[in-house]
Amino acid sequence: MSPKRFLQDWAVPAGIGLAMAATLLLLFPQLRGGAPAPATDEWQGPVSYASAVRRAAPAVVNIYTRTPLANHPNSNNPLFRMLLERMNPLERQRLESNVGSGVVVGDDGYILTNHHVVNGVDEILVKLADGREAQAQLVGSDADFDLAVLKVDLPNLTSIKVGEPEKVQVGDVVLAIGNPFGVGQTVTQGIISATGERYLDLSSSGTGSYLQNFLQTDAAVNPGNSGGALVDAHGRLLGINTEIVSRTGYSGGIGFAIPANIAFKVMQDIIEYGRVVPGWLGIEASAVTPQLARAFRLPSTNGVIITAIYNQGPAHQAGLKPGDVITHIDGQPINDGKRGIATMATLRPGDTVSITFMRNGVANTVEATVSEKPKAQRRS
């Protein structure tokens, strides 16, 4: 007899009806209706991330880039030239393939990947999770952020849902989805092992020093994962996988992803302006150290302290002054200097933002209109 038929056929005394019903709902959760609860272990944690993968994987693509062997980096090597001379004409036109990954971020065909995946190549081929393939157009890229924007002309694309990378905490479960070693789409699982990692020398991949505010993970990231998705346990995009630190060149448990909010800002700039246009508030700021907190009689080290301000810049026109401590931007707390610099990096010219700051122990809030940094400015 089914549990539902059991409830219908068995008359429960009124005095114990609610308790009995509650017990039966715990024993037979299917009586509640709707989707069944995910399987859990004895600690009530999920034992499968299949639903997250189903949501995110269709938006992750494999990228194959091709360059004629005549343009190979070793083309000036005498031995390499000798090999080319021994090839017949068709063989000399053979294309060398490199692999990477990308993420579909809009139904209109835009794809995010890494600059180093597509830099200097002659042809870009995108393969979707459903097996379709298409030539991709390079809309633009930026070496400093190590990000590139592609576009494909295909119908019925599945774009990824975006999470909240600014709220990520160390210990959060994440999944890395990509095309390692060209074997096809794979998924690896790990946790966020650090956030706000800015002082890293990742120049080997072409990553510049303008912004290095990565999410660090121990989810396996290998060659070919570059440009793929780092997602949360619900399948929402947290970042674009871009680099690993390893003595062997393979995953050593230290991988880095560019936060999605920064990646989307870069993408919007490239689409709209053809280049990255950093938002500018017209300030120079530093993290609040314990020494500065004592000197300015601040209640904590949260926030960034304005060390210099540019005349007639957005912050100056809003009434901010050197010595003010910015604690929130658009209501988002600036818990430390790294978070503050990362938040300001996502601002775009024309945005109006509210800035909460401390001055002489009193909290104030002003609005400032973000602009593009002029070529020359005088600070005070």
Side-chain angles (χ1 to χ4, degrees):
M1 179 182 296
S2 70
K4 186 173 292 187
R5 181 66 182 274
F6 177 79
L7 282 179
Q8 292 171 345
D9 292 350
W10 193 44
V12 181
I16 61 171
L18 290 177
M20 180 67 73
T23 301
L24 288 170
L25 285 174
L26 288 173
L27 293 174
F28 305 104
Q30 63 267 37
L31 294 176
R32 304 170 190 163
T40 59
D41 63 15
E42 63 179 340
W43 300 106
Q44 299 302 305
V47 296
S48 175
Y49 297 98
S51 60
V53 174
R54 281 195 297 270
R55 295 186 189 103
V60 180
V61 302
N62 298 346
I63 294 177
Y64 299 89
T65 60
R66 296 174 178 172
T67 305
L69 286 176
N71 298 334
H72 191 276
N74 293 324
S75 59
N76 291 326
N77 186 304
L79 291 176
F80 189 83
R81 289 202 306 269
M82 184 176 66
L83 288 175
L84 287 180
E85 291 171 358
R86 292 183 177 181
M87 293 179 181
N88 62 46
L90 289 178
E91 289 175 329
R92 283 198 298 270
Q93 294 300 316
R94 181 172 59 88
L95 297 177
E96 179 182 64
S97 294
N98 296 313
V99 296
S101 306
V103 184
V104 179
V105 292
D107 299 337
D108 46 6
Y110 285 110
I111 295 172
L112 269 172
T113 186
N114 284 136
H115 167 81
H116 75 262
V117 170
V118 297
N119 183 37
V121 304
D122 292 346
E123 185 180 5
I124 304 171
L125 181 69
V126 168
K127 184 175 181 180
L128 274 63
D130 62 14
R132 290 183 291 168
E133 295 184 357
Q135 297 284 339
Q137 170 197 353
L138 176 61
V139 179
S141 66
D142 186 272
D144 286 335
F145 283 92
D146 196 18
L147 287 168
V149 181
L150 310 178
K151 196 172 192 301
V152 294
D153 184 16
L154 286 174
N156 304 318
L157 293 173
T158 300
S159 60
I160 201 160
K161 302 298 182 185
V162 183
E164 298 178 293
E166 65 276 8
K167 295 183 179 179
V168 163
Q169 301 179 70
V170 173
D172 286 351
V173 171
V174 289
L175 308 172
I177 307 178
N179 181 24
F181 303 109
V183 300
Q185 192 177 92
T186 67
V187 181
T188 53
Q189 180 261 335
I191 63 169
I192 293 291
S193 49
T195 61
E197 293 298 322
R198 298 189 64 252
Y199 305 104
L200 302 168
D201 181 12
L202 303 183
S203 56
S204 61
S205 69
T207 302
S209 58
Y210 179 78
L211 179 71
Q212 295 180 356
N213 193 70
F214 298 99
L215 300 175
Q216 181 180 318
T217 179
D218 67 346
V221 175
N222 283 294
N225 272 111
S226 292
L230 186 73
V231 304
D232 63 20
H234 304 283
R236 299 172 300 196
L237 182 68
L238 295 178
I240 302 296
N241 295 316
T242 189
E243 184 61 279
I244 61 174
V245 171
S246 170
R247 295 180 178 177
T248 64
Y250 308 124
S251 176
I254 302 179
F256 298 95
I258 301 166
N261 53 338
I262 293 174
F264 271 72
K265 189 268 182 189
V266 170
M267 179 185 71
Q268 290 167 356
D269 280 358
I270 289 174
I271 293 172
E272 186 171 344
Y273 305 111
R275 61 188 176 90
V276 175
V277 181
W280 185 68
L281 286 174
I283 64 172
E284 292 181 9
S286 297
V288 179
T289 64
Q291 294 82 0
L292 286 174
R294 287 194 295 270
F296 284 86
R297 298 179 181 179
L298 301 174
S300 71
T301 58
N302 290 344
V304 293
I305 187 167
I306 298 176
T307 57
I309 195 161
Y310 287 78
N311 290 325
Q312 300 307 311
H316 183 252
Q317 293 180 358
L320 291 168
K321 299 178 179 179
D324 291 343
V325 177
I326 298 176
T327 60
H328 295 76
I329 295 179
D330 272 347
Q332 295 295 322
I334 307 302
N335 297 324
D336 54 43
K338 295 177 182 178
R339 180 64 58 89
I341 293 169
T343 300
M344 285 185 275
T346 64
L347 302 179
R348 304 189 74 217
D351 289 348
T352 298
V353 295
S354 64
I355 301 174
T356 301
F357 64 97
M358 299 288 295
R359 179 185 295 170
N360 299 325
V362 179
N364 302 273
T365 299
V366 295
E367 287 193 344
T369 301
V370 182
S371 68
E372 183 178 353
K373 184 178 181 179
K375 291 184 179 179
Q377 272 291 323
R378 186 162 53 88
R379 64 186 181 182
S380 60

